[in-house]
Amino acid sequence: MGLASLLVPLAIAIATSFTVEAVFGARRPSLRPGDLILRGLGYALLTVFWFQFSWRPWLAAASCLLTVAILAGVDRLKRRVIGEPPVFSDLALLAQVPRHPELYYTRSPTDPRMAVPLLLGLGVIAAWYALEPTILPDGALALAAVAALPMGLLAVVAAFRTPLGRALLRPLFPRPDLMADVARYGVVATMMGYALRRADEATEPPPAVPVLAPGDTETELLVVVQLESFLDPVRLGGAALPLMNRIRTEAAQYGQLAVPAHGAYTMRTEHAVLTGRDPDSLGFGRYDPYLARGGDEPTSLARIARAAGFATIFVHPFHRDFFSRARVFRRLGFDRLVMEDDFAGAPRIGPYIADEALAERILAEVKGGGRRFVFAVTMENHGPWTEGRLPGIAPGLAQYLHHVADTGRAVERLIDGLRGRRATLCVFGDHAPSLPECRPRPEGPVATDYAVFRFPNAADQQPRRVDITAAQLGCLLRDAPAAKRPG
């Protein structure tokens, strides 16, 4: 086995991968020597990763190129729809794609349009295995080589976790700047660098736990509802919702909400509201806060409410495993989870449980005495808005506007149902819809809308319009379980 049999495929893998990203990338790649070296190192490590499974250099090189090509395609799609490139935390979501393909604009692996290409791909790999000879050593050396290569890759990762490795990596990725870093180093090296930097941040101590005196609150009920893909439809050319007029005349505070993502990544806004933490405070964990801390958040609104004597309830009419919510929300401080299994027989609008059915379930949960904090997440207006979703309504925007009108009626039902109780009701959109008519802006995600209602209304209450961030909304909500309202 000559050295050239290893280096030539590796060099070709690096060169062709760079070409693919240069041609299909959204920004021209950096040609600075240091940036090119780091980019090439990412491609090389990816090639070695694939090589350990086959010990066939050309197959490993082809696998690297195919991976980079797939990432380049995902990059173009994500930038157009969501406004950002792929990031390391996306890999954790891959396991959800086969289970919930409709949420990721793809098809089930059993669908012929997916199954046939997958089977053809497996056939090509099998043929390649037969045609390209392995360079794995014979005899006892084979077992040693098979064990040594993955151990070597783990050693590289471990080296970057040492004080010296962290000192070398920190100047390269001092803070999250995804668009600029992908242009400098490419998607592969950036994903690796961000993952390593996030692993370092995982050792940092959590924020201090707020200290509250239980029983010092006037609020009996705190109901917070995260509305899927919600914003005022007038901003998209739709008809005015009666809800929006009620918000402007009855809410204690309302306005536009600056959210951390566009068209997806619900968990980012959800985390900001539940913890009051700005994404900038999360470092490289900002891209998937639940993956970063798994719900271990001392500043969680649920923990604060529970410390003040509230029963804490999470309501979401979807699968328990999605975003690992069942596990994460237990750690966030929710005593009881009401999820899809609890909505058996509930009406659906399109593929998901109707928002008005969710509103009725929330009101049922707060019926009777006792303090309760309910955090609910709607599902009816979740994409994709594709043909066949609603009979007689084909365009995606028309489908969205149909669903958002249902959302408006659901919120009005909550307003009417909570009036007369000592309650705070907050509703907010998690992100703008991922529609062609609502693309991300160069300056960042499109803002959604929010409103906070206080019941009973103070005689002198005048609605205030204040545009805030999701984290600021989370901080505002802490007033409800933490202390008596003025007056």
Side-chain angles (χ1 to χ4, degrees):
M1 177 184 66
L3 191 60
S5 64
L6 290 172
L7 295 182
V8 171
L10 178 61
I12 290 177
I14 293 172
T16 53
S17 295
F18 175 82
T19 302
V20 166
E21 285 207 279
V23 170
F24 294 103
R27 295 175 63 179
R28 180 176 298 178
S30 169
L31 298 179
R32 294 194 302 179
D35 297 346
L36 289 173
I37 290 172
L38 190 60
R39 183 189 288 261
L41 179 61
Y43 299 145
L45 288 172
L46 180 60
T47 305
V48 174
F49 171 80
W50 288 120
F51 178 71
Q52 69 179 323
F53 298 109
S54 69
W55 284 80
R56 288 165 171 80
W58 289 106
L59 178 57
S63 299
C64 172
L65 178 59
L66 179 61
T67 303
V68 172
I70 292 172
L71 288 173
V74 173
D75 185 19
R76 289 180 70 88
L77 177 63
K78 280 194 65 181
R79 288 177 192 260
R80 178 167 55 87
V81 176
I82 300 175
E84 68 177 49
V87 68
F88 73 99
S89 56
D90 290 340
L91 299 178
L93 302 177
L94 289 179
Q96 295 184 160
V97 176
R99 288 180 287 179
H100 311 288
E102 70 284 356
L103 300 185
Y104 292 93
Y105 297 82
T106 185
R107 299 179 176 90
S108 168
T110 59
D111 187 304
R113 290 166 291 185
M114 287 290 290
V116 171
L118 287 173
L119 290 173
L120 287 175
L122 291 174
V124 169
I125 293 173
W128 203 313
Y129 261 80
L131 293 173
E132 183 183 0
T134 179
I135 63 171
L136 189 66
D138 295 327
L141 289 177
L143 183 59
V146 168
L149 192 52
M151 293 298 293
L153 288 173
L154 290 174
V156 171
V157 174
F160 281 108
R161 301 295 304 280
T162 64
L164 176 60
R166 290 197 296 267
L168 292 173
L169 198 62
R170 195 174 296 115
L172 297 173
F173 302 101
R175 65 190 63 84
D177 190 355
L178 192 54
M179 299 287 278
D181 287 336
V182 167
R184 291 182 64 187
Y185 308 125
V187 173
V188 174
T190 300
M191 292 178 79
M192 293 177 180
Y194 276 36
L196 289 167
R197 290 286 285 120
R198 175 57 210 158
D200 291 341
E201 291 176 340
T203 61
E204 297 176 0
V209 181
V211 178
L212 299 175
D216 64 350
T217 177
E218 183 179 294
T219 298
E220 176 188 34
L221 303 173
L222 172 58
V223 177
V224 181
V225 186
Q226 180 172 277
L227 305 174
E228 175 62 43
S229 301
F230 179 81
L231 48 71
D232 184 350
V234 170
R235 295 164 58 188
L236 299 180
L241 292 182
L243 168 66
M244 299 310 297
N245 184 60
R246 294 191 68 174
I247 285 174
R248 287 187 284 267
T249 57
E250 300 177 30
Q253 183 172 313
Y254 70 95
Q256 292 193 359
L257 189 71
V259 291
H262 180 96
Y265 296 115
T266 295
M267 79 291 277
R268 298 183 188 174
T269 304
E270 195 169 276
H271 181 273
V273 172
L274 280 172
T275 65
R277 297 186 63 185
D278 190 270
D280 288 341
S281 72
L282 304 175
F284 291 87
R286 66 183 298 160
Y287 298 106
D288 190 338
Y290 292 162
L291 176 66
R293 301 199 60 86
D296 183 18
E297 298 286 357
T299 63
S300 163
L301 182 57
R303 293 191 185 186
I304 291 172
R306 191 163 63 182
F310 285 68
T312 55
I313 307 162
F314 174 58
V315 183
H316 179 45
F318 199 59
H319 298 288
R320 301 173 67 86
D321 64 337
F322 198 64
F323 292 151
S324 300
R325 274 198 175 108
R327 174 180 56 81
V328 169
F329 273 75
R330 289 287 188 192
R331 298 190 70 188
L332 282 168
F334 286 90
D335 300 318
R336 195 157 64 84
L337 309 181
V338 180
M339 305 194 76
E340 188 174 48
D341 292 345
D342 300 292
F343 284 84
R348 293 176 179 263
I349 308 292
Y352 307 116
I353 299 295
D355 285 354
E356 292 184 80
L358 176 66
E360 293 299 332
R361 182 59 187 251
I362 293 171
L363 293 175
E365 291 293 333
V366 300
K367 186 179 294 184
R371 293 173 179 164
R372 292 181 178 88
F373 165 45
V374 176
F375 184 85
V377 177
T378 70
M379 197 65 194
E380 179 185 332
N381 208 14
H382 201 295
W385 298 275
T386 53
E387 188 173 354
R389 172 176 176 139
L390 293 175
I393 305 178
L397 178 59
Q399 293 179 6
Y400 172 81
L401 295 176
H402 180 91
H403 287 303
V404 85
D406 292 343
T407 303
R409 286 189 290 272
V411 175
E412 287 193 273
R413 178 70 184 95
L414 289 174
I415 295 171
D416 296 335
L418 293 173
R419 191 180 301 279
R421 306 285 297 273
R422 297 198 312 275
T424 295
L425 169 65
C426 171
V427 294
F428 66 94
D430 59 349
H431 51 68
S434 54
L435 290 164
E437 296 83 359
C438 187
R439 292 301 190 200
R441 305 166 302 181
E443 60 269 27
V446 172
T448 64
D449 290 276
Y450 83 96
V452 178
F453 297 84
R454 308 279 193 184
F455 305 116
N457 294 10
D460 58 347
Q461 176 179 296
Q462 294 296 323
R464 297 191 310 152
R465 170 162 181 173
V466 185
D467 296 339
I468 58 177
T469 68
Q472 288 170 337
L473 177 60
C475 293
L476 173 67
L477 292 174
R478 276 146 179 74
D479 291 342
K484 294 181 179 179
R485 294 198 301 270

